[in-house]
């Protein structure tokens, strides 16, 4: 076996984290992207900028603020403690919160672009056929935006798999809870276990390439819709 | 285009100047951060040489040095890593010595939380106990040895949170996310006492001594500033300063 049990636990944890994050981001990101694509509010600029922040912020900034904010004296920590949940750092839930922020632009932006590309006409046509706003959203907008959802899911999942800095700063390296593949690779390298590091790192490289191939391969067939 | 080329040429011409002989690139183990900043300041004042410091985990420095990192001196957190580098021909023979023997402390930023015997480990209702990664950080390994000595390792294992190096373990505790943690005494100790919060200084007999070795690396062999820094570290001024941070000096 090329992967030991700690490696396998890290792989499973990573898949779980990326899946939970992607599903939650699709649920939370869809209304947000819809709003961003269609609103004329003055808040559009500021909110759009906040969504894009994780693209440019170093993970250390995000990780540091999360560690402080989610700690016992931070505002998120105060809230979670008041709800009886304890504090979030060093827990799977904490990693999910971190990943939601970290991967948000990778889900929201493709959705926003897809919604914007639909334009007003199909929705106006639906309205003249007496479709209500919910009806036209689910039966007109969502199907038309399907390529955007595919792109958003793939990018959200892959980007969460590739997360490192934030997890390192708020995770605490706990097996089966917060030790994801990228951290496990880092540990192997630091412990000079280069052979094990190679297997995991090579696996990551292959995975990332295949994901992007899937994305770009389908885009060449369909044209750029993201 | 021409202006760009001229700019690049100018930049290239500056490069050798930036690496003049009275500068030394030093890789410093995270636990030695505070004393080394003071020593570097004194070193500059006394000799005119400038020590450029990088702080981090010893294991990471090892990988970087093996792969050509431009460090000239390594101040490691253990004795194995410098020995290994020397065996691999990356260190200068005869220029390795123990600059400090580290002490481990159980620390909390809360005053009175940790009793002078460290009984809180057995009785406390804390959720998280921070330590440095035992696999890669000597202070983490020492913490495990101490817990084993106390017979508490199995019981507390599920409450461990591991920092990538001792600086991160300290940060987990200082930010309040872990109630207490094993840190390097030097991180919470100045002028002969614990600076704030409460601490139990783990008796030296409960873990293998953390002998921290310095090594002159091949890249620094012909740099007078690197040689001078090693001599300076063995001098009375530096030794006295190192002691005030709770280290033992040989």
């Amino acid at each position: 076996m090329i992967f030991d049990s700690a490696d396998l636990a890290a792989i499973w944890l990573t898949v779980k984290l990326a899946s939970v994050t992607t599903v939650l981001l699709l649920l939370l990101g869809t209304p947000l992207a819809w709003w961003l694509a269609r609103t004329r509010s003055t808040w559009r600029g500021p909110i759009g900028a906040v969504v894009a922040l994780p693209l440019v912020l170093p993970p250390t900034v995000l990780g540091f603020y999360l560690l402080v904010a989610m700690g016992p004296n931070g505002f998120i920590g105060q809230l979670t403690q008041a709800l009886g949940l304890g504090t979030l750092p060093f827990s799977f839930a904490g990693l999910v919160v971190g990943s939601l922020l970290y991967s948000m632009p990778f889900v929201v932006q493709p959705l926003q672009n897809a919604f914007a590309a639909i334009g007003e006409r199909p929705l106006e046509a639906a309205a003249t056929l007496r479709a209500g706003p919910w009806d036209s959203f689910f039966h007109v907008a969502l199907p038309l935006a399907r390529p955007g959802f595919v792109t958003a899911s793939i990018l959200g999942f892959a980007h969460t798999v590739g997360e490192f800095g934030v997890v390192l700063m708020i995770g605490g390296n706990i097996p089966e809870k917060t030790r994801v593949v990228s951290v496990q690779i880092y540990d192997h390298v630091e412990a000079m276990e280069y052979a094990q590091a190679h297997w995991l790192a090579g696996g990551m490289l292959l995975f990332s390439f295949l994901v992007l191939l899937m994305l770009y391969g389908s885009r060449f067939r369909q044209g750029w819709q993201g | 285009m021409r202006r760009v080329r001229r700019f690049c040429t100018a930049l290239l011409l500056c490069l050798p100047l930036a690496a003049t002989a009275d500068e030394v690139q030093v890789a410093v183990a995270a636990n030695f951060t505070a004393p080394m900043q003071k020593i570097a300041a004194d070193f500059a004042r006394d000799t005119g040489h400038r020590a450029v410091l990088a702080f981090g985990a010893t294991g990471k420095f090892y990988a970087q040095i093996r792969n050509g990192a431009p460090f000239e001196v390594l101040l490691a957190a253990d004795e194995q890593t410098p020995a290994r580098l020397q065996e691999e021909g990356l260190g200068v023979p005869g220029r390795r010595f123990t600059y400090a023997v580290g002490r481990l402390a159980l620390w909390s930023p809360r005053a009175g939380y940790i009793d002078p015997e460290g009984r809180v480990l057995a009785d406390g209702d804390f959720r998280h106990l921070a330590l440095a990664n035992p696999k890669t950080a000597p202070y983490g390994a020492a913490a495990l040895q101490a817990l084993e000595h106390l017979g508490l390792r199995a019981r507390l294992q599920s409450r461990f949170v591991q920092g990538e190096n001792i600086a991160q373990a300290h940060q987990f505790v200082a930010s309040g996310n872990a109630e207490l943690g094993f840190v390097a005494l030097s991180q919470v100790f100045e002028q002969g006492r614990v600076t704030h919060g409460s601490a139990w200084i783990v008796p030296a007999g409960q873990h293998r001594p953390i002998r921290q070795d310095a090594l002159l690396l091949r890249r620094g062999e012909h740099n007078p500033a690197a040689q001078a820094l090693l001599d300076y570290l063995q001098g009375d001024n530096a030794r006295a300063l190192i002691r005030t941070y709770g280290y033992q000096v040989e």
Side-chain angles (χ1 to χ4, degrees), chain B residues 192-236:
Chain B
R193 60 196 181 87
V194 174
T195 48
H196 72 294
S198 51
W200 168 52
I201 300 173
V202 181
Q206 299 198 2
H207 58 81
R208 277 197 293 275
I210 308 168
R211 299 169 60 92
Q212 305 191 187
D213 279 8
L215 175 66
L216 179 63
L217 298 163
R218 278 272 175 229
R219 276 184 188 258
E221 196 172 358
H222 303 296
N223 180 353
Q227 301 274 5
L229 181 65
L230 285 189
D231 294 339
Y232 196 82
L233 273 168
Q234 289 170 294
D236 290 339

Side-chain angles (χ1 to χ4, degrees), chain B residues 119-144:
Chain B
R119 271 191 220 104
V120 63
L121 276 176
D123 312 332
D125 61 346
F126 51 90
R127 288 179 62 213
H128 298 298
L129 170 66
L131 63 162
N133 189 340
K135 227 168 87 176
T136 55
Y139 282 87
L144 268 197

Side-chain angles (χ1 to χ4, degrees), chain B residues 108-214:
Chain B
S108 160
R110 268 163 63 189
Y113 185 69
I114 295 176
D115 54 288
E117 271 86 48
R119 271 191 220 104
V120 63
L121 276 176
D123 312 332
D125 61 346
F126 51 90
R127 288 179 62 213
H128 298 298
L129 170 66
L131 63 162
N133 189 340
K135 227 168 87 176
T136 55
Y139 282 87
L144 268 197
Q145 289 158 10
L147 285 171
E148 232 148 51
H149 181 92
L150 298 166
L152 291 170
R153 179 179 170 178
R155 218 171 94 201
L156 294 177
Q157 187 121 37
S158 61
R159 296 192 232 171
F160 286 0
V161 290
Q162 294 176 15
E164 181 250 322
N165 58 42
I166 198 67
Q168 207 191 8
H170 177 270
Q171 177 200 350
F172 284 160
V173 185
S175 64
N177 282 294
E179 292 91 334
L180 72 177
F182 285 102
V183 300
L185 181 59
S186 56
Q187 291 174 304
V188 296
F189 202 79
E190 233 173 282
Q191 303 302 330
R193 60 196 181 87
V194 174
T195 48
H196 72 294
S198 51
W200 168 52
I201 300 173
V202 181
Q206 299 198 2
H207 58 81
R208 277 197 293 275
I210 308 168
R211 299 169 60 92
Q212 305 191 187
D213 279 8

Side-chain angles (χ1 to χ4, degrees), chain B residues 72-89:
Chain B
E72 294 164 306
V73 171
L74 170 68
L75 301 183
D78 63 1
E79 48 183 346
Q80 289 86 1
T81 307
R84 200 162 159 173
L85 283 168
Q86 209 161 31
E87 270 166 37
E88 289 167 355

Side-chain angles (χ1 to χ4, degrees), chain A residues 47-217:
Chain A
I47 302 279
V50 169
V51 168
L53 264 184
L55 287 176
V56 293
L57 276 184
T60 41
V61 172
L62 210 53
F64 174 61
Y65 279 137
L66 279 171
L67 187 70
V68 173
M70 301 199 305
N73 307 315
F75 73 98
I76 302 176
Q78 301 269 345
L79 181 75
T80 53
Q81 281 174 314
L83 296 170
L85 300 171
T87 50
L88 289 174
F90 319 132
S91 70
F92 182 74
L95 289 201
V96 171
V97 172
S99 307
L100 285 179
L101 290 173
Y102 178 72
S103 295
M104 187 162 56
F106 290 83
V107 171
V108 170
Q109 292 191 343
L111 291 182
Q112 184 186 339
N113 293 340
F115 288 143
I118 295 172
E120 291 295 328
R121 297 191 86 195
L123 296 168
E124 282 169 3
T128 58
L129 296 168
R130 299 190 167 206
W134 289 103
D135 195 12
S136 61
F137 175 76
F138 281 107
H139 294 109
V140 178
L142 280 194
L144 283 173
R146 203 177 142 257
F149 277 92
V150 173
T151 305
S153 313
I154 292 176
L155 283 182
F157 188 91
H159 194 247
T160 308
V161 167
E163 183 176 352
F164 172 67
V166 176
V167 178
L168 190 76
M169 291 194 74
I170 64 172
N173 200 358
I174 305 168
E176 291 166 39
K177 266 207 231 157
T178 62
R179 188 185 290 162
V180 298
V181 173
S182 56
V183 173
Q184 179 78 354
I185 293 174
Y186 188 71
D187 267 15
H188 281 321
V189 173
E190 292 229 318
M192 305 164 201
E193 299 161 348
Y194 294 151
Q196 277 165 288
H198 267 308
W199 279 112
L200 273 182
M204 277 288 244
L205 186 68
L206 188 68
F207 165 81
S208 309
F209 174 73
L210 288 178
V211 162
L212 292 179
L213 185 68
M214 206 159 82
L215 193 65
Y216 289 99

